[in-house]
Amino acid sequence: DAIAMVVLDAEGDKAFCAGGDIVKLYQSMTETPDGERNTYAEDFFGREYRLDYLLHTYGKPLLCWGHGIVMGGGLGLLSGCSHRVVTEQSRIAMPEITMGLFPDVGGSWFLARMPGRTGLFLGLTVANINCHDAVFLGLADRVLPHDSKDKVMAALAQINWPGGQEDHVALSSVLRQHHLAMEDLPASPVREHYDLINTLCDADTLPLVVDRITALDSDDKWLSRAVSTLKKGCAQTAWLVWECQRRARQKSVREVFQMEWMVAVQCALHPDFREGVRALLIDKDGEPDFAFQDPGLVPPDYVNEFFVCPTEQHPLEDL
């Protein structure tokens, strides 16, 4: 009862959160014999998703100050809060296709609910987005100058918190006094290319969408970087992006986290995640040898394996 609101902030100014400890996950994958459970991965993703679900369902005001790099697990933290602040230096992405995982931590939920087909495009291409994009896509509520943080915190400390919904109103009022006007924000690449993104992703099968995006020839650096990342990305992840978003549209937040736990643990039991981390973070050769070089070569039965619970009892049944 003594808690009026909660603030999620970072240590330092470089990043809010750039993701989880993938190196320890890699160690667990290399040490787990084929055919056996990876209990470290089960516990890792279970604890992470329980926290994310708590943020989504927490009743009191929950302010996230998403400054700097906000990627992977950090985006899961930001997206679950009631008051999501980004700054003019925020850089946001879900980079999982480069390493054989998938946009988890609720990514299946919020990507599937973005305007048009932008969520599919971002999940497939790891295109970085800025503060303007984040507001347009519904990932953030307000853009505040990072140098206003001390003033904001001081103002919050002076509030006589009345309780209940009025606490949410009080927090919103403080943020509204400091936020940047839309005309003062940097240009939004997603908004600028919105119609093109919808056209590229307007297909009934994943291979067709991938073919359309990778065939794009553009002088725009943001688009060309997105195309290049998808070309080098993991075909397994591309299918998980497609399939998770398709399934998430009919699920509650609770059901999405339960589904993502199964998919994440299965990723730890399949070779591409391990290989992607090796190439990106361990050996750093940038040359992952993924099992499939093209989404059209991935068998449907292989994709379905990721949506099977690897344990007799689902650890997030009680969410």
Side-chain angles (χ1 to χ4, degrees):
D1 290 341
I3 297 174
M5 63 165 292
V6 175
V7 178
L8 291 189
D9 195 10
E11 292 186 15
D13 285 338
K14 181 179 180 180
F16 166 66
C17 175
D21 193 339
I22 301 298
V23 173
K24 282 191 177 181
L25 266 178
Y26 174 81
Q27 294 172 349
S28 76
M29 291 186 281
T30 59
E31 295 168 0
T32 300
D34 290 343
E36 294 192 14
R37 289 172 55 183
N38 185 331
T39 55
Y40 179 88
E42 292 174 11
D43 181 60
F44 177 93
F45 289 114
R47 286 183 290 117
E48 184 178 22
Y49 297 171
R50 281 186 181 278
L51 171 59
D52 290 329
Y53 181 72
L54 175 61
L55 299 180
H56 276 273
T57 56
Y58 191 67
K60 296 180 181 181
L62 219 174
L63 168 63
C64 180
W65 194 272
H67 171 71
I69 298 172
V70 186
M71 294 188 180
L75 191 50
L77 298 174
L78 174 73
S79 66
C81 295
S82 64
H83 293 70
R84 303 162 299 171
V85 167
V86 290
T87 73
E88 61 271 56
Q89 287 89 32
S90 295
R91 293 295 177 266
I92 301 170
M94 294 294 284
E96 288 79 8
I97 201 166
T98 62
M99 65 179 70
L101 190 57
F102 72 106
D104 62 330
V105 294
S108 306
W109 169 268
F110 59 74
L111 288 171
R113 286 159 176 79
M114 287 181 177
R117 296 175 173 84
T118 53
L120 176 60
F121 182 83
L122 295 177
L124 291 174
T125 64
V126 197
N128 284 19
I129 61 175
N130 62 24
C131 57
H132 194 162
D133 292 320
V135 174
F136 174 67
L137 295 169
L139 280 176
D141 301 300
R142 298 193 180 276
V143 182
L144 271 68
H146 186 53
D147 61 12
S148 71
K149 184 169 72 169
D150 289 344
K151 294 179 182 178
V152 170
M153 297 304 168
L156 295 177
Q158 297 302 314
I159 294 176
N160 182 19
W161 298 92
Q165 184 60 32
E166 292 184 42
D167 286 350
H168 288 266
V169 174
L171 172 55
S172 295
S173 178
V174 170
L175 298 179
R176 189 176 291 112
Q177 295 170 28
H178 293 86
H179 76 159
L180 292 171
M182 295 299 288
E183 57 265 25
D184 295 328
L185 302 184
S188 164
V190 176
R191 176 173 279 182
E192 178 183 347
H193 301 300
Y194 181 76
D195 291 339
L196 175 59
I197 289 171
N198 281 333
T199 299
L200 293 173
C201 296
D202 182 15
D204 295 324
T205 68
L206 172 66
L208 280 176
V209 171
V210 172
D211 287 347
R212 288 184 176 187
I213 296 174
T214 55
L216 180 66
D217 185 11
S218 174
D219 294 331
D220 184 278
K221 290 184 178 180
W222 188 82
L223 285 173
S224 61
R225 190 178 298 117
V227 171
S228 176
T229 303
L230 177 55
K231 286 180 178 178
K232 298 176 182 177
C234 177
Q236 166 188 296
T237 297
W239 270 109
L240 296 180
V241 170
W242 175 272
E243 193 62 20
C244 283
Q245 289 190 38
R246 184 186 72 82
R247 298 183 184 218
R249 289 187 180 92
Q250 307 301 324
K251 294 183 182 294
S252 65
V253 174
R254 171 178 175 270
E255 292 169 331
V256 165
F257 280 114
Q258 291 171 337
M259 175 188 72
E260 288 189 347
W261 182 87
M262 294 190 297
V263 178
V265 174
Q266 288 288 3
C267 283
L269 299 176
H270 285 71
D272 274 2
F273 184 26
R274 180 172 65 245
E275 173 60 13
V277 176
R278 180 207 63 76
L280 187 67
L281 299 175
I282 307 301
D283 297 335
K284 299 182 180 179
D285 55 33
E287 296 293 337
D289 183 20
F290 292 129
F292 303 98
Q293 301 306 311
D294 185 275
L297 301 176
V298 182
D301 289 346
Y302 186 83
V303 178
N304 290 334
E305 291 177 9
F306 290 83
F307 296 88
V308 176
C309 187
T311 59
E312 290 186 6
Q313 183 173 357
H314 198 301
L316 300 187
E317 276 186 355
D318 59 341
L319 280 184

